[in-house]
Amino acid sequence: MELIKKSLTYGTNGKRLLTQLTFDDDINVSDNNADIRSVIMQTGHVRLEEMRVLGAKIRLAGHLEFSVLYSSEDNGMISCIRGDFGFEELINYDGGREGEQVTVLWDMEDLRAQMINSRKMNVKAVVTFSIYPSGVSEVLAAVGVENLTGAETLNRTEQFTGLKICGKDTLRVKEAFALPGGKPDVDRIIFQDVSLRNAKSRAENGRVTVSGDLFLFMLYRSAEEHMPLQWLERQFTVSGDVESPHATDMMLSASCIQLAHTEIAAVEDEDGEMRQITVEAVLQCDLQLYEEQRMELLEDVYVPGMEFEITRPEISMLLLDSSNDSRMKMDMTMSLHAQKPLVQIVYAGASVKVEDYHPGDGGLILEGIILADLLYQQADPENPYDARHEEYPFSYTVQMPEGSMAEGVQLRITSSVEQVNAVLSGADEAQLRLMAGFRITACRPGQIRFITDIDMKPVAAEKMEDMPGIIGYMVKPGDTLWSVARRFYVPLASIREVNSLAADELKPGQRLLIVK
């Protein structure tokens, strides 16, 4: 007897891990920068360079990159200090497997810069990392038998939506654009902020298509004397393909796409003027593709007169319960506390952080805060620019199937700001309009049993001789035609013929005649 086996692919997902890193260091102003008068605002971004499972440890390594915008003693002129904190962290991960994949999401809990003196400032930051281990395994499961005369086999159908492909890749995109006609040439870029919005991914045959919008804000100085500080905003759609040889267009992508690194530069155009802006970005793609699978697995086998010892292991697997994309709109009013009359809003930025979630009426309730930053210009020649940072709590209900919020279901929630705009709405306030996006993937644990090996031997002669040639049997609850035939070592066809059964369904109390 030989078992016919097919490959069964299944996904696993470890428990979500959290770790928090704290950074604190003094930064000296470079010789090229003016003295510090006051700190205006700061931004930061985590660039992960390594995310690797090392058995019972997960290694995270990378840099926290930050920019601090400040006004100088030189007539309030704006300058910027850029720096980074390197980090390398080992995180305990019980049950980890070498080579297992991890998706890492980060939240900037706090970032602040304080002036120490005109040539030095202190930068503090707290970053929380959410780590989601995942992996794909493969086993050979029996689906039938061959070379076994007189064998009776029983099969069952398994149907589920499970993790089929997971992996990591990067997508490099490059964009270039010319400065608008009314803008002067670039002498030096002072400050920049790039964010990825509306990130999407779609599985296709042999690849995963990734798309999103890159939003760029840039402050720069012109080479022309006495020209005021310049700024511009630009948003453009980027897209590309990540190779995934086994992907198909029937798979559902729950991949996580994050902005890993950006570089912005001003270069000469065809006329030799510094009016061309190039933007290079690296997108980190944590691929997770789910597929609905249907397999006919061998459930049992027997031959009349033979006994079988069946090896039937059970594996735990990750099943996709639901996936949801939702958008939240929010209007906020910010008091700017400007020292002089306001002139205009220069820059509006925001981030969204989910701090808690729980089932509620109508779906899953997300609770968290919106962190908003505004850079504005005021009518003050000595201190023309200032900024305001505020936090706004929110509560938002995402419609989710009831089963997706049951105990034991694992939720992965990613959030991002898709759009933010600000306008002056009063003598000392601004009105912000924001759209936040939430991507929720709900997975539940499942188990599946399958046959990997069967040992067969004849039933002992004395056991067969002790069995009557004709047996009257009353069907008990839970009995099936298969279990009765197997118990008395007779063919299914024999029971059907002797009892004139039109169907294989048995009812408790039903009388059967078993002829050996």
Side-chain angles (χ1 to χ4, degrees):
M1 179 191 69
E2 295 181 8
L3 289 178
I4 304 171
K5 296 183 179 181
K6 287 187 177 181
S7 173
L8 172 64
T9 302
Y10 65 98
T12 59
N13 205 358
K15 184 180 179 182
R16 175 195 178 200
L17 304 173
L18 288 174
T19 190
Q20 193 173 78
L21 299 184
T22 301
F23 305 90
D24 186 349
D25 202 1
D26 294 339
I27 307 298
N28 292 317
V29 177
S30 69
D31 294 338
N32 296 328
N33 282 30
D35 290 353
I36 303 170
R37 178 176 180 176
S38 63
V39 173
I40 297 176
M41 64 181 292
Q42 52 274 314
T43 61
H45 181 85
V46 172
R47 176 162 55 95
L48 287 168
E49 297 174 339
E50 184 176 6
M51 302 155 279
R52 193 151 53 105
V53 178
L54 304 171
K57 300 281 186 181
I58 294 177
R59 184 177 186 269
L60 292 185
H63 292 265
L64 167 58
E65 302 171 332
F66 61 85
S67 298
V68 181
L69 199 63
Y70 70 91
S71 63
S72 70
E73 298 287 353
D74 186 10
N75 295 324
M77 185 173 288
I78 283 185
S79 293
C80 182
I81 293 179
R82 297 185 182 89
D84 69 80
F85 298 125
F87 63 86
E88 181 180 331
E89 189 79 2
L90 287 175
I91 302 155
N92 292 327
Y93 176 33
D94 293 337
R97 296 175 300 162
E98 196 84 18
E100 192 174 5
Q101 300 288 337
V102 289
T103 298
V104 181
L105 307 177
W106 59 269
D107 278 318
M108 189 77 69
E109 302 289 347
D110 189 26
L111 174 62
R112 64 184 67 186
Q114 292 182 322
M115 174 182 171
I116 298 175
N117 57 49
S118 63
R119 303 301 296 173
K120 181 182 289 189
M121 66 175 63
N122 176 260
V123 179
K124 291 183 172 69
V126 178
V127 181
T128 297
F129 295 91
S130 299
I131 303 166
Y132 299 86
S134 60
V136 172
S137 298
E138 188 175 344
V139 294
L140 291 176
V143 297
V145 297
E146 58 184 2
N147 300 327
L148 183 60
T149 304
E152 301 275 6
T153 59
L154 178 67
N155 283 60
R156 77 177 193 277
T157 301
E158 288 286 350
Q159 187 168 350
F160 56 89
T161 301
L163 184 62
K164 185 73 172 181
I165 297 173
C166 73
K168 287 186 178 294
D169 209 333
T170 56
L171 177 65
R172 296 181 179 273
V173 295
K174 184 175 182 178
E175 295 288 336
F177 63 93
L179 292 177
K183 291 287 186 181
D185 294 4
V186 176
D187 178 57
R188 185 157 66 99
I189 296 175
I190 303 300
F191 176 82
Q192 63 194 43
D193 182 51
V194 181
S195 58
L196 178 65
R197 301 177 177 180
N198 302 306
K200 297 181 177 67
S201 62
R202 184 178 71 253
E204 298 186 2
N205 292 329
R207 66 186 188 271
V208 177
T209 298
V210 175
S211 63
D213 297 323
L214 279 183
F215 175 82
L216 162 68
F217 171 78
M218 185 178 80
L219 287 173
Y220 73 93
R221 286 202 187 104
S222 168
E224 301 178 31
E225 291 187 21
H226 309 299
M227 181 67 71
L229 187 69
Q230 301 292 312
W231 60 85
L232 61 85
E233 293 180 346
R234 190 68 177 258
Q235 181 168 308
F236 31 78
T237 300
V238 295
S239 62
D241 294 334
V242 175
E243 290 187 5
S244 183
H246 302 293
T248 71
D249 56 8
M250 299 301 292
M251 294 181 179
L252 172 67
S253 177
S255 305
C256 181
I257 312 300
Q258 300 180 85
L259 185 61
H261 185 62
T262 56
E263 291 185 7
I264 300 175
V267 298
E268 293 182 351
D269 61 11
E270 294 178 352
D271 298 324
E273 298 177 330
M274 300 294 285
R275 301 190 57 79
Q276 190 81 1
I277 307 299
T278 61
V279 183
E280 296 187 47
V282 179
L283 307 186
Q284 174 68 48
C285 306
D286 291 281
L287 303 179
Q288 288 199 349
L289 304 182
Y290 290 82
E291 182 181 49
E292 185 173 345
Q293 300 184 57
R294 180 186 177 93
M295 288 191 69
E296 295 287 333
L297 296 178
L298 181 65
E299 175 68 15
D300 202 0
V301 61
Y302 86 95
V303 175
M306 305 294 290
E307 287 187 324
F308 296 83
E309 184 176 325
I310 299 177
T311 302
R312 199 190 308 265
E314 182 178 76
I315 57 174
S316 297
M317 60 195 310
L318 187 68
L319 306 178
L320 180 65
D321 196 86
S322 65
S323 181
N324 182 287
D325 283 307
S326 187
R327 300 291 182 271
M328 175 188 75
K329 293 182 179 180
M330 191 169 175
D331 291 331
M332 302 160 286
T333 299
M334 179 184 288
S335 297
L336 300 180
H337 304 292
Q339 302 300 313
K340 298 290 183 177
L342 297 170
V343 177
Q344 60 184 327
I345 300 293
V346 177
Y347 162 79
S351 60
V352 56
K353 182 168 63 172
V354 177
E355 296 185 317
D356 191 21
Y357 56 86
H358 54 85
D361 294 337
L364 185 70
I365 299 176
L366 307 180
E367 295 181 345
I369 56 173
I370 302 293
L371 299 96
D373 291 288
L374 282 188
L375 176 64
Y376 58 87
Q377 185 180 14
Q378 58 188 358
D380 185 351
E382 295 184 358
N383 190 30
Y385 301 99
D386 206 348
R388 187 75 179 168
H389 174 85
E390 290 288 350
E391 297 182 359
Y392 301 88
F394 72 86
S395 179
Y396 179 66
T397 301
V398 179
Q399 293 185 351
M400 295 280 290
E402 188 173 345
S404 298
M405 299 178 287
E407 186 176 354
V409 173
Q410 300 179 26
L411 297 179
R412 189 181 74 184
I413 303 173
T414 57
S415 56
S416 63
V417 171
E418 308 293 359
Q419 184 178 353
V420 59
N421 295 302
V423 295
L424 294 175
S425 58
D428 191 39
E429 67 179 25
Q431 190 71 25
L432 286 80
R433 177 160 293 179
L434 174 141
M435 180 180 290
F438 302 98
R439 177 73 181 270
I440 304 175
T441 303
C443 295
R444 56 183 172 84
Q447 289 77 37
I448 187 170
R449 297 182 68 187
F450 55 93
I451 293 173
T452 58
D453 196 20
I454 297 177
D455 287 332
M456 180 179 66
K457 63 180 181 180
V459 179
E462 56 272 19
K463 184 175 182 179
M464 293 294 293
E465 292 172 359
D466 290 342
M467 294 181 62
I470 300 177
I471 303 170
Y473 181 75
M474 182 177 291
V475 176
K476 298 179 177 57
D479 280 345
T480 64
L481 186 63
W482 178 271
S483 65
V484 173
R486 204 178 195 284
R487 177 178 179 179
F488 294 105
Y489 304 102
V490 296
L492 292 171
S494 173
I495 300 180
R496 292 191 192 102
E497 181 180 355
V498 170
N499 294 274
S500 301
L501 296 178
D504 286 352
E505 293 183 3
L506 302 179
K507 297 179 180 179
Q510 183 178 352
R511 294 181 180 275
L512 296 176
L513 188 64
I514 309 296
V515 178
K516 189 169 72 172

